[in-house]
């Protein structure tokens, strides 16, 4: 069975329950999750709006990132989903999860998965601040 259980770029709300079900594995002694949510401020300024957009190759790039993590760590299952479109404060923007035989492996693999997703998958965040300024943040930043 492929250890990459769930990958996606979606314009619908993300589900922690779906990701948990995807990485459930009786061979795993530890499962690590990271849920990135929309926060109310960035750079010390109030955020009033936020949207994500993705390049058409984003899912393929996400698969490459997941395959590299699966090759570098002894994981039994992994999943990663990212939201696109308009999000509200508190919405889940990204969820990654990794199951592995031991907790240390799960933590390290999950950290690599989210870090490499943020660095290499072409997804951009557009923030609007309460002072009217806007900012684009993208892969690698």
């Amino acid at each position: 069975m492929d250890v990459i259980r769930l990958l996606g770029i979606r314009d619908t709300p993300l589900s922690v329950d779906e990701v948990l079900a995807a990485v459930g594995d009786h061979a795993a002694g530890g499962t690590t999750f990271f849920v990135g949510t929309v926060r109310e401020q960035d750079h010390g300024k109030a955020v009033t709006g936020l949207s994500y957009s993705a390049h058409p190759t984003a899912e393929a790039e996400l698969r490459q990132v997941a395959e590299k993590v699966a090759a570098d760590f002894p994981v039994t299952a992994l999943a990663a989903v990212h939201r696109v479109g308009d999000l509200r404060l508190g919405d889940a923007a990204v969820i990654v999860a990794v199951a592995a035989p031991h907790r240390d492996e799960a933590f390290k693999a999950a950290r690599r998965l989210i870090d490499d997703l943020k660095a290499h998958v072409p997804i951009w965040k557009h923030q609007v601040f309460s002072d009217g300024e806007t900012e684009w943040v993208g892969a690698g930043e």
Side-chain angles (χ1 to χ4, degrees):
M1 176 183 260
D2 189 7
V3 300
I4 300 171
R5 305 280 178 83
L6 175 66
L7 295 176
I9 310 293
R10 300 179 174 173
D11 62 0
T12 56
L14 305 180
S15 166
V16 171
D17 290 338
E18 177 190 23
V19 175
L20 178 61
V23 297
D25 193 303
H26 294 298
T31 302
T32 300
F33 274 81
F34 173 78
V35 180
T37 56
V38 178
R39 61 184 176 263
E40 65 185 358
Q41 68 171 337
D42 198 12
H43 310 295
K45 296 174 12 179
V47 173
T48 60
L50 184 145
S51 65
Y52 283 94
S53 58
H55 190 274
T57 63
E59 282 199 30
E61 296 290 332
L62 179 56
R63 176 155 293 279
Q64 288 181 350
V65 164
E67 288 172 350
K68 180 79 168 113
V69 170
D72 290 350
F73 294 91
V75 301
T76 61
L78 67 77
V81 289
H82 202 295
R83 179 94 183 267
V84 293
D86 296 332
L87 282 76
R88 296 183 313 235
L89 294 178
D91 283 349
V94 61
I95 303 173
V96 301
V98 174
H102 303 283
R103 70 178 175 272
D104 189 50
E105 298 159 340
F107 278 117
K108 288 178 180 175
R111 178 64 186 245
R112 169 83 72 76
L113 183 56
I114 188 61
D115 287 350
D116 287 359
L117 184 160
K118 297 287 281 177
H120 302 294
V121 179
I123 297 173
W124 301 278
K125 175 173 63 173
H126 184 234
Q127 296 187 110
V128 179
F129 298 101
S130 62
D131 64 4
E133 289 188 30
T134 65
E135 172 187 51
W136 282 94
V137 180
E141 296 183 28

